[in-house]
Amino acid sequence: MARPRILVVGAGFAGVECVRRLERRLQPGEAEISLVTPFSYQLYLPLLPQVASGVLTPQSVAVSLRRSARHRTRIIPGGAIGVDPKAKICVIRKITGETLDQPYDYIVLAPGSVTRTFDIPGLVEHARGMKTLAEAAYIRDHVISQLDLADASEDEDERASRLRFVVVGGGYAGTETAACLQRITQHAVKKYPRLDPRQIKWHLIDIAPKLMPELGDKLGTAALEILRKRGIEVSLGVSIAEAGADKVTFTDGRVLPCRTLIWTAGVAASPLVGTLDAETERGRLLVTPEMTVPGLDGVFALGDAAAVPDLAKGEGAFCPPTAQHAMRQGPKLADNIVASLRGESLRPYVHKDLGLVVDLGGRDAVSKPLGIELRGLPAQAVARGYHWSALRTNVAKTRVLTNWMLNAIAGDDFVRTGFQAQKPATLKDFEYTDAYLTPDQVRAHTASLTVRG
């Protein structure tokens, strides 16, 4: 009798934790496990701002799947571009461009999310995201190159546009990105004899009325004060009306010279969700508390791509798309797959949010672990301790700790590597959001397999 085939789509927090638990719980030969991912690493997203600012090297936050797995899982290098739940086939585009039709008995959809954009003129062409490792590395090079070019320029207008940086999104990612990058530019500018630190302008804007409302009024205000004290201009209730190559227009009418627009204004579920033709909640797959997709046999979903009921909050709430929930949903879903294989009852996912940590670089941080409000060095210790403990391999932990120590002792470096120096990088260049099939295309594709068979 053939062994059941379990296919996990996505190597983010949710997918990797699910695979790790499956490997521990399943007996050898009890099932086949496959993991679909274009990269052979799990990206530790919360530390991307520190990669962009050069505090951490890119390898530090890329946790090797080969090290963290027990070698029982087959890794398929590619991305899922469509799922036919009726035929139980997942269409995969391998990194070579070839198409693979992967049958499954159980499928775990953890494809994560992509940067959410809006119909703003020039946004897709001129904004940079902070969702992938390549984007973080690119932004670092880009920011340092603006200092180089401004220092060499004799044109005051060009210099002003190169030394103005705008970050859109006052949530966790945007706030940390603005704080970490502003810190490195203030340190770097001392090495440029023709530049004045007062010429560097950083702006953090958000359409919401508060900065990081999840922190509460007290800590949110503390974070706002830290940013403004550093010289970062924070504008709330404002967004981008138009983006250009050398200027941005805010919705309040301001037009600012700017050649660096970093967009972190939220995320949307992976476009893979749309290929299933299933019910969604604000773009995320609507699932049961056990993380099954209603009406689709053998289909489970979790993480950023799924609207998982938040039973701890109740009142129809759904779990927010955070690493904290994804890391805990993965093992619970794995347990439910094992239970399904063994004819046992499935259990619902329940987890109470443990709080939020925000590292603003240097000695600045605000944190709210277990409802306790912290700021400064205690908050910094909690934030870095949490991130360090969440890394899944000793190699990754050693790299991160070494990088932090080196940065504390030797300070920042301002090396520009030159990656993609000749090509402006857009959001689509990194996230490949146009690669997915429609539900009709998926069905037509799997139907053709039957005919050919």
Side-chain angles (χ1 to χ4, degrees):
M1 182 177 178
R3 292 183 294 173
R5 296 159 297 187
I6 303 171
L7 182 64
V8 180
V9 176
F13 291 109
V16 169
E17 292 301 320
C18 180
V19 167
R20 285 167 58 89
R21 180 64 70 90
L22 285 171
E23 289 189 331
R24 286 195 296 269
R25 290 289 314 278
L26 292 172
Q27 299 296 322
E30 190 173 1
E32 295 179 0
I33 309 170
S34 298
L35 174 64
V36 182
T37 173
F39 307 110
S40 60
Y41 61 79
Q42 175 197 358
L43 177 62
Y44 193 82
L45 270 169
L47 291 178
L48 274 187
Q50 294 191 37
V51 173
S53 64
V55 173
L56 298 176
T57 60
Q59 304 97 300
S60 302
V61 300
V63 183
S64 171
L65 295 178
R66 303 290 179 182
R67 287 182 181 272
S68 60
R70 293 188 177 183
H71 310 296
R72 289 176 53 192
T73 298
R74 171 195 178 203
I75 299 177
I76 303 174
I81 59 173
V83 179
D84 186 338
K86 186 175 181 180
K88 288 199 169 184
I89 288 177
C90 179
V91 184
I92 299 168
R93 182 170 293 167
K94 295 195 291 185
I95 58 175
T96 59
E98 301 170 277
T99 298
L100 172 67
D101 303 301
Q102 182 66 32
Y104 65 85
D105 296 296
Y106 298 91
I107 188 168
V108 177
L109 298 175
S113 56
V114 297
T115 301
R116 180 181 61 183
T117 58
F118 301 94
D119 190 19
I120 299 172
L123 178 67
V124 174
E125 294 80 11
H126 300 294
R128 285 85 166 104
M130 268 291 289
K131 198 77 176 62
T132 68
L133 191 59
E135 284 175 315
Y138 177 85
I139 284 175
R140 172 176 166 75
D141 263 19
H142 174 79
V143 168
I144 297 299
S145 73
Q146 298 311 296
L147 300 183
D148 291 342
L149 292 165
D151 185 64
S153 177
E154 301 295 341
D155 186 320
E156 288 301 322
D157 289 338
E158 178 189 352
R159 183 176 291 189
S161 65
R162 293 197 183 280
L163 296 179
R164 191 182 299 273
F165 307 89
V166 176
V167 179
V168 185
Y172 176 96
T175 301
E176 285 203 336
T177 296
C180 291
L181 285 171
Q182 185 269 346
R183 183 172 177 269
I184 193 175
T185 56
Q186 287 300 315
H187 290 174
V189 75
K190 299 172 185 177
K191 306 297 182 181
Y192 293 83
R194 302 181 68 235
L195 298 183
D196 186 329
R198 292 172 295 182
Q199 293 176 294
I200 298 179
K201 309 291 184 183
W202 278 88
H203 297 257
L204 175 62
I205 68 174
D206 196 293
I207 198 65
K210 294 181 180 180
L211 189 71
M212 290 186 294
E214 305 91 340
L215 283 173
D217 290 342
K218 191 175 179 181
L219 283 185
T221 301
L224 183 61
E225 290 173 353
I226 290 171
L227 297 179
R228 285 177 170 163
K229 186 176 180 180
R230 284 202 199 164
I232 299 175
E233 183 176 336
V234 181
S235 299
L236 301 174
V238 177
S239 190
I240 297 293
E242 185 175 356
D246 57 5
K247 65 180 180 181
V248 295
T249 303
F250 291 178
T251 51
D252 62 5
R254 281 181 288 171
V255 180
L256 302 180
C258 172
R259 298 186 188 231
T260 306
L261 175 61
I262 302 173
W263 181 266
T264 66
V267 296
S270 166
L272 182 65
V273 167
T275 73
L276 279 84
D277 206 12
E279 188 176 356
T280 59
E281 168 67 27
R282 295 188 177 183
R284 298 195 287 168
L285 276 173
L286 189 63
V287 299
T288 67
E290 294 76 24
M291 292 172 283
T292 63
V293 180
L296 302 183
D297 181 47
V299 180
F300 297 78
L302 72 168
D304 290 6
V308 181
D310 191 341
L311 300 184
K313 285 187 178 179
E315 300 179 356
F318 294 95
C319 297
T322 63
Q324 184 181 147
H325 279 290
M327 291 174 71
R328 289 163 176 80
Q329 288 169 3
K332 176 59 70 174
L333 193 151
D335 289 343
N336 281 341
I337 289 180
V338 172
S340 182
L341 281 169
R342 298 172 181 174
E344 300 168 357
S345 299
L346 278 60
R347 296 184 178 182
Y349 170 74
V350 184
H351 172 68
K352 184 177 180 180
D353 199 303
L354 299 178
L356 188 68
V357 294
V358 183
D359 187 338
L360 300 175
R363 297 183 176 183
D364 294 329
V366 290
S367 300
K368 195 176 181 180
L370 302 174
I372 302 170
E373 296 184 346
L374 302 172
R375 64 182 72 185
L377 284 176
Q380 179 73 278
V382 169
R384 294 199 170 184
Y386 173 80
H387 292 315
W388 184 83
S389 64
L391 294 166
R392 286 306 184 201
T393 68
N394 289 330
V395 171
K397 289 181 177 181
T398 301
R399 282 179 176 156
V400 166
L401 187 59
T402 302
N403 284 177
W404 280 338
M405 292 175 64
L406 182 62
N407 181 258
I409 296 169
D412 297 313
D413 70 76
F414 321 113
V415 174
R416 176 165 52 89
T417 58
F419 292 143
Q420 296 185 329
Q422 301 302 314
K423 182 188 178 195
T426 66
L427 294 171
K428 287 186 177 180
D429 290 328
F430 291 111
E431 300 192 31
Y432 312 106
T433 52
D434 55 354
Y436 297 86
L437 304 177
T438 66
D440 288 340
Q441 288 174 326
V442 174
R443 286 190 287 268
H445 179 79
T446 53
S448 71
L449 297 178
T450 305
V451 172
R452 290 201 300 268

